[in-house]
Amino acid sequence: EKHLYLKNITNYLVNSNIVTCKQEANILLSDVLAEWHKSLPSPATCISLIHACGGIAVIAHPQLLYLCDKELKEILTQLSVLGLDGIEVIHPGHQDEDRRKLNTWARELRLIISGGSDYHGKKNRDRFPTITSDTVISYTKIEQMKARIEERKQC
């Protein structure tokens, strides 16, 4: 699924006559993505910046990274060492099994749990969240987020 975006962009470039063929589009995209990747800040820099601004660093919808469990847990472990504060466990794209696994990992790595609807207002795609939605997190989780921020202020 993650390659679907590249396929769509490739088709757009060809269909719009920006490039002459898919091979040319792939070369262009590979150059653009390589340049973009080099310009990204490191995870450690991102986490530090979020903390410096008084926020908590949470990895969003980790199941949508399309990694196997071993790779995902390894990344979460590495990020937790760098100061990651939490994992978005509650997300419309996460199945119950995903949520159970991410909850377990959050406990093991001492990370807080976040969540939400991921509502972007797209017709026929997103559901507007309500108090009874399966994407609502408990107020206890909000309190844990506030406590994490307060702990950091005291250091």
Side-chain angles (χ1 to χ4, degrees):
E1 264 187 60
K2 67 181 173 181
H3 299 293
L4 181 61
Y5 296 111
L6 291 177
K7 182 179 176 185
N8 289 342
I9 294 170
T10 299
N11 289 336
Y12 173 81
L13 292 172
V14 173
N15 294 337
S16 300
N17 295 318
I18 295 170
V19 296
T20 57
C21 63
K22 288 185 179 185
Q23 182 180 6
E24 187 181 352
N26 288 334
I27 291 168
L28 174 66
L29 286 173
S30 129
D31 290 345
V32 168
L33 290 174
E35 188 64 32
W36 173 72
H37 190 265
K38 283 192 291 187
S39 69
L40 291 175
S42 70
T45 299
C46 292
I47 291 168
S48 293
L49 182 59
I50 292 166
H51 290 167
C53 292
I56 54 173
V58 176
I59 189 164
H61 40 70
Q63 285 301 130
L64 300 184
L65 294 173
Y66 304 107
L67 300 171
C68 71
D69 285 355
K70 181 180 177 191
E71 290 173 313
L72 182 55
K73 178 137 188 228
E74 186 175 308
I75 287 172
L76 292 171
T77 301
Q78 291 169 359
L79 291 173
S80 71
V81 170
L82 295 174
L84 182 72
D85 295 297
I87 304 173
E88 182 183 29
V89 172
I90 309 300
H91 182 274
H94 292 170
Q95 303 302 314
D96 288 340
E97 179 182 322
D98 299 327
R99 292 176 184 195
R100 280 190 292 276
K101 173 182 61 187
L102 292 170
N103 265 309
T104 299
W105 292 349
R107 275 192 307 277
E108 289 173 9
L109 297 170
R110 303 186 68 164
L111 298 172
I112 58 177
I113 292 167
S114 77
S117 71
D118 208 21
Y119 181 75
H120 293 272
K122 302 254 192 290
K123 289 184 180 179
N124 302 321
R125 192 196 94 180
D126 294 336
R127 293 175 302 166
F128 188 75
T130 65
I131 195 67
T132 59
S133 297
D134 66 347
T135 55
V136 173
I137 62 170
S138 68
Y139 192 72
T140 304
K141 303 293 183 215
I142 303 295
E143 289 296 327
Q144 290 170 352
M145 291 178 205
K146 289 178 178 180
R148 182 69 60 104
I149 291 169
E150 286 304 314
E151 286 170 16
R152 193 161 294 110
K153 284 181 183 177
Q154 295 174 8
C155 292

